[in-house]
Amino acid sequence: MTYVIGSPCEGVCEASCAKVCPVECIYSPIPMSEIEEIRTNQKLENTEKSSDLKGIQLYINPDECIDCDACVAECPVEAIASDLDQSPHFDVEEYREINEKFFEDGNTAYNSSGQV
């Protein structure tokens, strides 16, 4: 079992989930500091999307996730679910594959520590 991040995260990338992850397995295609800067400069509420983040979402590395569940409660848009569950907000199986593919494709990825 692992957790996956789905479509409600797209354009929002609120990132409190990444801050509570004990193993820093939540990544973004751009540095988290840039996301935070965009959200702060635009004075966005936790659930608001940014046009500057269009098409961007966070991803959970399935090889690093320890299934602790800490991220789930932190997500203000309910974009995180177990890959064994169903979500009323997104297709879990589709986004499990999207999360896995993000890492398999060798995309540049940044966690909350800024590591690639």
Side-chain angles (χ1 to χ4, degrees):
M1 179 180 92
T2 189
Y3 286 87
V4 298
I5 299 177
S7 59
C9 183
E10 292 174 16
V12 176
C13 302
E14 194 271 338
S16 60
C17 58
K19 293 173 185 167
V20 300
C21 179
V23 294
E24 297 183 347
C25 71
I26 300 175
Y27 293 83
S28 171
I30 63 173
M32 296 280 191
S33 59
E34 285 184 33
I35 290 173
E36 189 172 326
E37 184 177 328
I38 288 168
R39 295 192 56 77
T40 300
N41 289 344
Q42 294 180 1
K43 297 178 176 68
L44 299 174
E45 296 293 325
N46 289 350
T47 59
E48 286 184 278
K49 291 185 179 222
S50 167
S51 59
D52 291 342
L53 298 172
K54 184 176 181 176
I56 295 175
Q57 75 164 69
L58 305 180
Y59 301 90
I60 295 177
N61 187 323
D63 295 332
E64 297 175 4
C65 180
I66 60 171
D67 310 323
C68 71
D69 197 14
C71 58
V72 177
E74 290 298 315
C75 182
V77 293
E78 299 180 11
I80 304 173
S82 163
D83 67 347
L84 301 177
D85 294 336
Q86 296 296 319
S87 169
H89 307 290
F90 64 97
D91 181 333
V92 172
E93 179 61 25
E94 175 187 3
Y95 277 86
R96 181 189 60 75
E97 292 173 9
I98 289 170
N99 277 244
E100 288 176 354
K101 188 168 175 27
F102 177 78
F103 295 100
E104 288 171 359
D105 287 352
N107 290 298
T108 300
Y110 303 87
N111 66 13
S112 60
S113 294
Q115 297 174 337
V116 178

